[in-house]
Amino acid sequence: MIRRICVLSVVVVLCIGLSMILSAGVFAQDDSSDVSGKEALQAQKEQIKSNAEAARAEEKALIEQIQQAKQAGDHETARQLQEQLRALHEKNVQQRQADLQALKDARKEFVEERKEA
């Protein structure tokens, strides 16, 4: 059971990595692309949402591991997993704040560009 959860955790981490790579490609487009500013903002919003879902899934997997370790009586592993969960949650919160700030900046830039046109 723990092996299955570990595999699940690896899959979640890989999904997060893949989504970050894909999001870099979305935001690396120049002004000559046919994607409008509004569509780019929507794509950025969807990427933030998928990143948050992946982060929640990863945290949930760790919580399940903690519960299993406690049920098995392995308190040391449970404690280590708790520390890992705290660090992961802090990292996820910081990433979400950075993503939301980037979205806010992109919206502001979009509005300014529309005013100039």
Side-chain angles (χ1 to χ4, degrees):
M1 184 69 168
I2 291 179
R3 186 176 198 183
R4 188 174 76 170
I5 291 175
C6 290
V7 170
L8 177 64
S9 296
V10 169
V11 170
V12 170
V13 170
L14 291 175
C15 288
I16 291 173
L18 181 61
S19 68
M20 287 181 177
I21 290 169
L22 292 175
S23 69
V26 168
F27 304 121
Q29 296 174 353
D30 61 357
D31 291 339
S32 64
S33 73
D34 59 344
V35 177
S36 74
K38 208 173 204 180
E39 291 171 338
L41 287 173
Q42 185 62 32
Q44 187 175 4
K45 218 165 129 177
E46 290 299 318
Q47 186 62 45
I48 290 171
K49 185 177 178 179
S50 70
N51 287 348
E53 289 172 356
R56 280 192 293 270
E58 191 176 5
E59 288 180 16
K60 186 176 179 180
L62 267 176
I63 290 169
E64 289 175 7
Q65 287 180 14
I66 292 167
Q67 290 172 345
Q68 289 177 350
K70 286 180 180 179
Q71 288 175 352
D74 192 353
H75 299 290
E76 180 59 29
T77 300
R79 186 187 62 75
Q80 290 173 352
L81 290 170
Q82 281 276 7
E83 291 174 10
Q84 197 176 4
L85 177 61
R86 281 188 197 101
L88 177 64
H89 181 71
E90 184 176 332
K91 183 188 91 170
N92 289 340
V93 167
Q94 290 173 351
Q95 181 63 48
R96 179 148 172 87
Q97 288 173 345
D99 287 347
L100 291 175
Q101 183 62 45
L103 179 62
K104 182 178 177 182
D105 294 343
R107 279 185 186 144
K108 184 177 179 181
E109 182 178 329
F110 175 69
V111 168
E112 289 173 359
E113 287 176 358
R114 287 184 75 189
K115 285 181 181 179
E116 290 176 0

mmCIF file of all heavy atoms in Angstrom, residues 57-89:
data_model
loop_
_atom_site.group_PDB
_atom_site.id
_atom_site.type_symbol
_atom_site.label_atom_id
_atom_site.label_comp_id
_atom_site.label_asym_id
_atom_site.label_seq_id
_atom_site.Cartn_x
_atom_site.Cartn_y
_atom_site.Cartn_z
ATOM 1 N N ALA A 57 -3.414 17.405 -4.727
ATOM 2 C CA ALA A 57 -3.324 15.945 -4.851
ATOM 3 C C ALA A 57 -2.047 15.428 -4.203
ATOM 4 O O ALA A 57 -2.051 14.387 -3.526
ATOM 5 C CB ALA A 57 -3.379 15.541 -6.318
ATOM 6 N N GLU A 58 -0.969 16.156 -4.386
ATOM 7 C CA GLU A 58 0.305 15.762 -3.787
ATOM 8 C C GLU A 58 0.230 15.827 -2.261
ATOM 9 O O GLU A 58 0.699 14.921 -1.560
ATOM 10 C CB GLU A 58 1.422 16.668 -4.317
ATOM 11 C CG GLU A 58 2.812 16.191 -3.972
ATOM 12 C CD GLU A 58 3.891 17.051 -4.591
ATOM 13 O OE1 GLU A 58 3.586 18.082 -5.217
ATOM 14 O OE2 GLU A 58 5.064 16.687 -4.427
ATOM 15 N N GLU A 59 -0.374 16.887 -1.745
ATOM 16 C CA GLU A 59 -0.530 17.013 -0.296
ATOM 17 C C GLU A 59 -1.447 15.921 0.247
ATOM 18 O O GLU A 59 -1.182 15.350 1.306
ATOM 19 C CB GLU A 59 -1.076 18.400 0.068
ATOM 20 C CG GLU A 59 -0.057 19.504 -0.110
ATOM 21 C CD GLU A 59 -0.592 20.883 0.250
ATOM 22 O OE1 GLU A 59 -1.642 20.972 0.916
ATOM 23 O OE2 GLU A 59 0.060 21.877 -0.127
ATOM 24 N N LYS A 60 -2.506 15.633 -0.473
ATOM 25 C CA LYS A 60 -3.432 14.584 -0.047
ATOM 26 C C LYS A 60 -2.733 13.226 0.001
ATOM 27 O O LYS A 60 -2.964 12.441 0.930
ATOM 28 C CB LYS A 60 -4.629 14.530 -0.996
ATOM 29 C CG LYS A 60 -5.714 13.574 -0.557
ATOM 30 C CD LYS A 60 -6.912 13.628 -1.484
ATOM 31 C CE LYS A 60 -7.961 12.633 -1.018
ATOM 32 N NZ LYS A 60 -9.134 12.656 -1.903
ATOM 33 N N ALA A 61 -1.875 12.949 -0.968
ATOM 34 C CA ALA A 61 -1.125 11.692 -0.977
ATOM 35 C C ALA A 61 -0.225 11.600 0.255
ATOM 36 O O ALA A 61 -0.113 10.529 0.881
ATOM 37 C CB ALA A 61 -0.304 11.565 -2.252
ATOM 38 N N LEU A 62 0.403 12.700 0.615
ATOM 39 C CA LEU A 62 1.251 12.715 1.819
ATOM 40 C C LEU A 62 0.416 12.503 3.076
ATOM 41 O O LEU A 62 0.842 11.789 3.993
ATOM 42 C CB LEU A 62 2.018 14.036 1.923
ATOM 43 C CG LEU A 62 3.410 14.053 1.319
ATOM 44 C CD1 LEU A 62 4.016 15.445 1.407
ATOM 45 C CD2 LEU A 62 4.324 13.046 1.952
ATOM 46 N N ILE A 63 -0.751 13.108 3.127
ATOM 47 C CA ILE A 63 -1.631 12.931 4.291
ATOM 48 C C ILE A 63 -2.022 11.465 4.427
ATOM 49 O O ILE A 63 -2.024 10.916 5.540
ATOM 50 C CB ILE A 63 -2.870 13.849 4.178
ATOM 51 C CG1 ILE A 63 -2.462 15.312 4.357
ATOM 52 C CG2 ILE A 63 -3.941 13.453 5.188
ATOM 53 C CD1 ILE A 63 -3.542 16.312 4.007
ATOM 54 N N GLU A 64 -2.314 10.825 3.308
ATOM 55 C CA GLU A 64 -2.649 9.395 3.345
ATOM 56 C C GLU A 64 -1.471 8.562 3.836
ATOM 57 O O GLU A 64 -1.639 7.618 4.606
ATOM 58 C CB GLU A 64 -3.112 8.929 1.965
ATOM 59 C CG GLU A 64 -4.466 9.471 1.576
ATOM 60 C CD GLU A 64 -4.869 9.111 0.158
ATOM 61 O OE1 GLU A 64 -4.148 8.318 -0.501
ATOM 62 O OE2 GLU A 64 -5.903 9.615 -0.304
ATOM 63 N N GLN A 65 -0.273 8.921 3.391
ATOM 64 C CA GLN A 65 0.934 8.209 3.859
ATOM 65 C C GLN A 65 1.104 8.383 5.355
ATOM 66 O O GLN A 65 1.475 7.440 6.059
ATOM 67 C CB GLN A 65 2.174 8.732 3.132
ATOM 68 C CG GLN A 65 2.290 8.309 1.698
ATOM 69 C CD GLN A 65 3.545 8.860 1.043
ATOM 70 O OE1 GLN A 65 4.450 9.348 1.716
ATOM 71 N NE2 GLN A 65 3.591 8.792 -0.273
ATOM 72 N N ILE A 66 0.847 9.581 5.852
ATOM 73 C CA ILE A 66 0.966 9.856 7.286
ATOM 74 C C ILE A 66 -0.020 8.993 8.061
ATOM 75 O O ILE A 66 0.332 8.378 9.071
ATOM 76 C CB ILE A 66 0.741 11.362 7.577
ATOM 77 C CG1 ILE A 66 1.882 12.195 7.009
ATOM 78 C CG2 ILE A 66 0.576 11.609 9.072
ATOM 79 C CD1 ILE A 66 1.611 13.678 6.954
ATOM 80 N N GLN A 67 -1.253 8.943 7.577
ATOM 81 C CA GLN A 67 -2.277 8.143 8.252
ATOM 82 C C GLN A 67 -1.897 6.664 8.265
ATOM 83 O O GLN A 67 -2.066 5.984 9.282
ATOM 84 C CB GLN A 67 -3.635 8.351 7.572
ATOM 85 C CG GLN A 67 -4.211 9.723 7.810
ATOM 86 C CD GLN A 67 -5.454 10.001 6.977
ATOM 87 O OE1 GLN A 67 -5.745 9.281 6.024
ATOM 88 N NE2 GLN A 67 -6.176 11.063 7.336
ATOM 89 N N GLN A 68 -1.368 6.185 7.152
ATOM 90 C CA GLN A 68 -0.969 4.778 7.091
ATOM 91 C C GLN A 68 0.198 4.490 8.022
ATOM 92 O O GLN A 68 0.239 3.442 8.667
ATOM 93 C CB GLN A 68 -0.619 4.381 5.667
ATOM 94 C CG GLN A 68 -1.819 4.299 4.773
ATOM 95 C CD GLN A 68 -1.460 3.972 3.347
ATOM 96 O OE1 GLN A 68 -0.300 3.976 2.974
ATOM 97 N NE2 GLN A 68 -2.468 3.691 2.543
ATOM 98 N N ALA A 69 1.139 5.419 8.101
ATOM 99 C CA ALA A 69 2.282 5.233 8.994
ATOM 100 C C ALA A 69 1.816 5.214 10.454
ATOM 101 O O ALA A 69 2.298 4.409 11.247
ATOM 102 C CB ALA A 69 3.317 6.332 8.777
ATOM 103 N N LYS A 70 0.874 6.080 10.782
ATOM 104 C CA LYS A 70 0.343 6.103 12.151
ATOM 105 C C LYS A 70 -0.396 4.806 12.466
ATOM 106 O O LYS A 70 -0.255 4.264 13.565
ATOM 107 C CB LYS A 70 -0.592 7.303 12.354
ATOM 108 C CG LYS A 70 0.140 8.625 12.463
ATOM 109 C CD LYS A 70 -0.835 9.770 12.666
ATOM 110 C CE LYS A 70 -0.103 11.093 12.786
ATOM 111 N NZ LYS A 70 -1.037 12.227 12.967
ATOM 112 N N GLN A 71 -1.180 4.319 11.506
ATOM 113 C CA GLN A 71 -1.910 3.069 11.724
ATOM 114 C C GLN A 71 -0.962 1.889 11.883
ATOM 115 O O GLN A 71 -1.237 0.966 12.639
ATOM 116 C CB GLN A 71 -2.869 2.794 10.558
ATOM 117 C CG GLN A 71 -4.069 3.709 10.547
ATOM 118 C CD GLN A 71 -4.942 3.499 9.317
ATOM 119 O OE1 GLN A 71 -4.581 2.770 8.405
ATOM 120 N NE2 GLN A 71 -6.096 4.157 9.311
ATOM 121 N N ALA A 72 0.175 1.949 11.193
ATOM 122 C CA ALA A 72 1.163 0.874 11.294
ATOM 123 C C ALA A 72 2.020 1.021 12.549
ATOM 124 O O ALA A 72 2.829 0.144 12.853
ATOM 125 C CB ALA A 72 2.047 0.866 10.052
ATOM 126 N N GLY A 73 1.855 2.126 13.254
ATOM 127 C CA GLY A 73 2.626 2.345 14.479
ATOM 128 C C GLY A 73 4.011 2.915 14.229
ATOM 129 O O GLY A 73 4.836 2.961 15.131
ATOM 130 N N ASP A 74 4.277 3.353 13.020
ATOM 131 C CA ASP A 74 5.586 3.910 12.666
ATOM 132 C C ASP A 74 5.546 5.420 12.877
ATOM 133 O O ASP A 74 5.357 6.199 11.943
ATOM 134 C CB ASP A 74 5.919 3.561 11.216
ATOM 135 C CG ASP A 74 7.361 3.853 10.854
ATOM 136 O OD1 ASP A 74 8.076 4.457 11.679
ATOM 137 O OD2 ASP A 74 7.766 3.481 9.735
ATOM 138 N N HIS A 75 5.740 5.823 14.116
ATOM 139 C CA HIS A 75 5.605 7.235 14.483
ATOM 140 C C HIS A 75 6.733 8.096 13.926
ATOM 141 O O HIS A 75 6.521 9.274 13.611
ATOM 142 C CB HIS A 75 5.499 7.384 16.000
ATOM 143 C CG HIS A 75 4.301 6.676 16.560
ATOM 144 N ND1 HIS A 75 3.018 7.114 16.328
ATOM 145 C CD2 HIS A 75 4.186 5.540 17.297
ATOM 146 C CE1 HIS A 75 2.160 6.292 16.905
ATOM 147 N NE2 HIS A 75 2.847 5.317 17.506
ATOM 148 N N GLU A 76 7.911 7.525 13.785
ATOM 149 C CA GLU A 76 9.044 8.286 13.247
ATOM 150 C C GLU A 76 8.797 8.644 11.785
ATOM 151 O O GLU A 76 9.007 9.783 11.368
ATOM 152 C CB GLU A 76 10.347 7.498 13.383
ATOM 153 C CG GLU A 76 11.577 8.218 12.858
ATOM 154 C CD GLU A 76 11.848 9.549 13.539
ATOM 155 O OE1 GLU A 76 11.486 9.720 14.728
ATOM 156 O OE2 GLU A 76 12.428 10.432 12.892
ATOM 157 N N THR A 77 8.331 7.679 11.015
ATOM 158 C CA THR A 77 8.015 7.942 9.605
ATOM 159 C C THR A 77 6.879 8.955 9.507
ATOM 160 O O THR A 77 6.923 9.861 8.666
ATOM 161 C CB THR A 77 7.628 6.636 8.880
ATOM 162 O OG1 THR A 77 8.718 5.726 8.962
ATOM 163 C CG2 THR A 77 7.277 6.891 7.429
ATOM 164 N N ALA A 78 5.883 8.823 10.362
ATOM 165 C CA ALA A 78 4.767 9.768 10.367
ATOM 166 C C ALA A 78 5.258 11.178 10.664
ATOM 167 O O ALA A 78 4.824 12.148 10.013
ATOM 168 C CB ALA A 78 3.719 9.342 11.390
ATOM 169 N N ARG A 79 6.166 11.303 11.601
ATOM 170 C CA ARG A 79 6.721 12.620 11.944
ATOM 171 C C ARG A 79 7.494 13.207 10.763
ATOM 172 O O ARG A 79 7.354 14.393 10.431
ATOM 173 C CB ARG A 79 7.632 12.509 13.171
ATOM 174 C CG ARG A 79 8.128 13.864 13.684
ATOM 175 C CD ARG A 79 9.170 13.716 14.788
ATOM 176 N NE ARG A 79 10.367 13.018 14.348
ATOM 177 C CZ ARG A 79 11.322 13.564 13.567
ATOM 178 N NH1 ARG A 79 11.193 14.806 13.147
ATOM 179 N NH2 ARG A 79 12.383 12.884 13.215
ATOM 180 N N GLN A 80 8.305 12.370 10.114
ATOM 181 C CA GLN A 80 9.070 12.850 8.952
ATOM 182 C C GLN A 80 8.150 13.270 7.815
ATOM 183 O O GLN A 80 8.388 14.289 7.156
ATOM 184 C CB GLN A 80 10.030 11.755 8.468
ATOM 185 C CG GLN A 80 11.174 11.499 9.415
ATOM 186 C CD GLN A 80 12.009 10.301 8.996
ATOM 187 O OE1 GLN A 80 11.661 9.571 8.083
ATOM 188 N NE2 GLN A 80 13.123 10.092 9.689
ATOM 189 N N LEU A 81 7.100 12.501 7.612
ATOM 190 C CA LEU A 81 6.141 12.846 6.569
ATOM 191 C C LEU A 81 5.389 14.134 6.902
ATOM 192 O O LEU A 81 5.079 14.933 6.012
ATOM 193 C CB LEU A 81 5.156 11.697 6.338
ATOM 194 C CG LEU A 81 5.738 10.446 5.679
ATOM 195 C CD1 LEU A 81 4.746 9.298 5.722
ATOM 196 C CD2 LEU A 81 6.175 10.741 4.251
ATOM 197 N N GLN A 82 5.115 14.347 8.200
ATOM 198 C CA GLN A 82 4.469 15.598 8.634
ATOM 199 C C GLN A 82 5.353 16.797 8.294
ATOM 200 O O GLN A 82 4.872 17.822 7.790
ATOM 201 C CB GLN A 82 4.207 15.579 10.147
ATOM 202 C CG GLN A 82 3.013 14.783 10.554
ATOM 203 C CD GLN A 82 1.719 15.575 10.446
ATOM 204 O OE1 GLN A 82 1.687 16.677 9.942
ATOM 205 N NE2 GLN A 82 0.639 14.958 10.901
ATOM 206 N N GLU A 83 6.648 16.661 8.562
ATOM 207 C CA GLU A 83 7.587 17.738 8.248
ATOM 208 C C GLU A 83 7.637 17.977 6.739
ATOM 209 O O GLU A 83 7.663 19.122 6.269
ATOM 210 C CB GLU A 83 8.977 17.410 8.781
ATOM 211 C CG GLU A 83 9.081 17.428 10.292
ATOM 212 C CD GLU A 83 10.433 16.953 10.802
ATOM 213 O OE1 GLU A 83 11.367 16.787 9.994
ATOM 214 O OE2 GLU A 83 10.541 16.743 12.024
ATOM 215 N N GLN A 84 7.636 16.880 6.001
ATOM 216 C CA GLN A 84 7.645 16.968 4.548
ATOM 217 C C GLN A 84 6.375 17.660 4.051
ATOM 218 O O GLN A 84 6.420 18.508 3.151
ATOM 219 C CB GLN A 84 7.748 15.554 3.977
ATOM 220 C CG GLN A 84 8.152 15.464 2.544
ATOM 221 C CD GLN A 84 8.311 14.012 2.112
ATOM 222 O OE1 GLN A 84 8.047 13.078 2.866
ATOM 223 N NE2 GLN A 84 8.740 13.814 0.888
ATOM 224 N N LEU A 85 5.247 17.335 4.658
ATOM 225 C CA LEU A 85 3.977 17.950 4.284
ATOM 226 C C LEU A 85 3.986 19.445 4.576
ATOM 227 O O LEU A 85 3.538 20.253 3.760
ATOM 228 C CB LEU A 85 2.818 17.271 5.021
ATOM 229 C CG LEU A 85 1.427 17.853 4.786
ATOM 230 C CD1 LEU A 85 1.039 17.750 3.312
ATOM 231 C CD2 LEU A 85 0.401 17.155 5.670
ATOM 232 N N ARG A 86 4.505 19.821 5.727
ATOM 233 C CA ARG A 86 4.563 21.257 6.068
ATOM 234 C C ARG A 86 5.402 22.022 5.043
ATOM 235 O O ARG A 86 5.011 23.105 4.579
ATOM 236 C CB ARG A 86 5.146 21.451 7.463
ATOM 237 C CG ARG A 86 4.167 21.191 8.564
ATOM 238 C CD ARG A 86 4.721 21.593 9.941
ATOM 239 N NE ARG A 86 3.937 20.979 10.982
ATOM 240 C CZ ARG A 86 4.281 19.900 11.662
ATOM 241 N NH1 ARG A 86 5.443 19.322 11.434
ATOM 242 N NH2 ARG A 86 3.494 19.400 12.594
ATOM 243 N N ALA A 87 6.573 21.463 4.707
ATOM 244 C CA ALA A 87 7.454 22.125 3.739
ATOM 245 C C ALA A 87 6.798 22.199 2.360
ATOM 246 O O ALA A 87 6.862 23.239 1.684
ATOM 247 C CB ALA A 87 8.783 21.383 3.649
ATOM 248 N N LEU A 88 6.163 21.126 1.962
ATOM 249 C CA LEU A 88 5.496 21.090 0.669
ATOM 250 C C LEU A 88 4.351 22.099 0.625
ATOM 251 O O LEU A 88 4.195 22.837 -0.355
ATOM 252 C CB LEU A 88 4.961 19.687 0.379
ATOM 253 C CG LEU A 88 4.171 19.524 -0.910
ATOM 254 C CD1 LEU A 88 5.052 19.783 -2.124
ATOM 255 C CD2 LEU A 88 3.562 18.136 -0.974
ATOM 256 N N HIS A 89 3.573 22.155 1.690
ATOM 257 C CA HIS A 89 2.452 23.091 1.741
ATOM 258 C C HIS A 89 2.956 24.534 1.665
ATOM 259 O O HIS A 89 2.391 25.365 0.935
ATOM 260 C CB HIS A 89 1.633 22.871 3.017
ATOM 261 C CG HIS A 89 0.455 23.784 3.110
ATOM 262 N ND1 HIS A 89 -0.652 23.650 2.307
ATOM 263 C CD2 HIS A 89 0.225 24.865 3.895
ATOM 264 C CE1 HIS A 89 -1.512 24.608 2.604
ATOM 265 N NE2 HIS A 89 -1.005 25.352 3.562
#
